[in-house]
Short mmCIF file of all heavy atoms in Angstrom, two decimals:
data_model
loop_
_atom_site.label_atom_id
_atom_site.label_comp_id
_atom_site.label_asym_id
_atom_site.label_seq_id
_atom_site.Cartn_x
_atom_site.Cartn_y
_atom_site.Cartn_z
N GLU A 73 28.78 77.45 124.28
CA GLU A 73 27.61 76.96 123.54
C GLU A 73 28.04 76.33 122.22
O GLU A 73 27.51 75.30 121.80
CB GLU A 73 26.61 78.09 123.30
CG GLU A 73 25.86 78.52 124.53
CD GLU A 73 25.05 79.80 124.32
OE1 GLU A 73 24.87 80.23 123.16
OE2 GLU A 73 24.60 80.36 125.34
N ARG A 74 29.01 76.98 121.55
CA ARG A 74 29.54 76.41 120.30
C ARG A 74 30.19 75.06 120.56
O ARG A 74 30.09 74.15 119.75
CB ARG A 74 30.58 77.35 119.66
CG ARG A 74 30.07 78.55 118.97
CD ARG A 74 29.22 78.33 117.73
NE ARG A 74 29.58 77.21 116.90
CZ ARG A 74 28.68 76.45 116.27
NH1 ARG A 74 27.41 76.69 116.36
NH2 ARG A 74 29.06 75.43 115.53
N SER A 75 30.86 74.93 121.70
CA SER A 75 31.54 73.67 122.00
C SER A 75 30.55 72.52 122.11
O SER A 75 30.83 71.40 121.69
CB SER A 75 32.39 73.78 123.27
OG SER A 75 31.60 73.80 124.42
N VAL A 76 29.37 72.80 122.67
CA VAL A 76 28.34 71.77 122.78
C VAL A 76 27.90 71.35 121.38
O VAL A 76 27.78 70.16 121.08
CB VAL A 76 27.14 72.27 123.61
CG1 VAL A 76 25.97 71.31 123.54
CG2 VAL A 76 27.56 72.50 125.06
N LYS A 77 27.66 72.32 120.50
CA LYS A 77 27.23 72.01 119.13
C LYS A 77 28.32 71.26 118.37
O LYS A 77 28.04 70.30 117.64
CB LYS A 77 26.83 73.28 118.40
CG LYS A 77 25.57 73.90 118.97
CD LYS A 77 25.20 75.19 118.29
CE LYS A 77 23.96 75.77 118.95
NZ LYS A 77 23.58 77.04 118.42
N GLU A 78 29.56 71.69 118.53
CA GLU A 78 30.67 71.02 117.84
C GLU A 78 30.83 69.60 118.35
O GLU A 78 31.07 68.67 117.57
CB GLU A 78 31.98 71.79 118.02
CG GLU A 78 31.99 73.17 117.40
CD GLU A 78 31.87 73.17 115.88
OE1 GLU A 78 32.12 72.14 115.23
OE2 GLU A 78 31.53 74.24 115.33
N ARG A 79 30.70 69.40 119.66
CA ARG A 79 30.79 68.06 120.23
C ARG A 79 29.68 67.17 119.70
O ARG A 79 29.90 66.00 119.37
CB ARG A 79 30.74 68.12 121.75
CG ARG A 79 31.14 66.77 122.38
CD ARG A 79 30.77 66.66 123.83
NE ARG A 79 29.33 66.45 123.91
CZ ARG A 79 28.50 67.15 124.66
NH1 ARG A 79 28.94 68.11 125.43
NH2 ARG A 79 27.20 66.91 124.68
N GLU A 80 28.46 67.72 119.59
CA GLU A 80 27.34 66.94 119.05
C GLU A 80 27.62 66.51 117.62
O GLU A 80 27.31 65.38 117.24
CB GLU A 80 26.05 67.75 119.14
CG GLU A 80 25.51 67.90 120.54
CD GLU A 80 24.35 68.88 120.64
OE1 GLU A 80 24.01 69.55 119.63
OE2 GLU A 80 23.78 68.98 121.75
N GLN A 81 28.20 67.40 116.82
CA GLN A 81 28.53 67.03 115.44
C GLN A 81 29.60 65.95 115.42
O GLN A 81 29.53 65.01 114.62
CB GLN A 81 29.00 68.25 114.66
CG GLN A 81 27.88 69.22 114.36
CD GLN A 81 28.37 70.44 113.58
OE1 GLN A 81 29.57 70.68 113.46
NE2 GLN A 81 27.45 71.21 113.07
N ALA A 82 30.60 66.07 116.26
CA ALA A 82 31.64 65.05 116.34
C ALA A 82 31.04 63.71 116.77
O ALA A 82 31.39 62.66 116.21
CB ALA A 82 32.73 65.49 117.31
N GLU A 83 30.12 63.75 117.73
CA GLU A 83 29.47 62.52 118.18
C GLU A 83 28.64 61.89 117.06
O GLU A 83 28.60 60.67 116.95
CB GLU A 83 28.60 62.80 119.40
CG GLU A 83 29.39 63.03 120.66
CD GLU A 83 28.52 63.41 121.86
OE1 GLU A 83 27.28 63.51 121.70
OE2 GLU A 83 29.09 63.61 122.93
N LYS A 84 27.99 62.71 116.24
CA LYS A 84 27.23 62.16 115.11
C LYS A 84 28.14 61.42 114.15
O LYS A 84 27.79 60.35 113.66
CB LYS A 84 26.49 63.28 114.38
CG LYS A 84 25.28 63.79 115.12
CD LYS A 84 24.62 64.93 114.38
CE LYS A 84 23.51 65.53 115.22
NZ LYS A 84 22.91 66.70 114.58
#
Side-chain angles (χ1 to χ4, degrees):
E73 288 170 12
R74 284 295 325 143
S75 74
V76 171
K77 292 177 182 177
E78 296 295 342
R79 192 195 75 230
E80 288 171 353
Q81 289 180 348
E83 286 176 359
K84 285 178 187 176

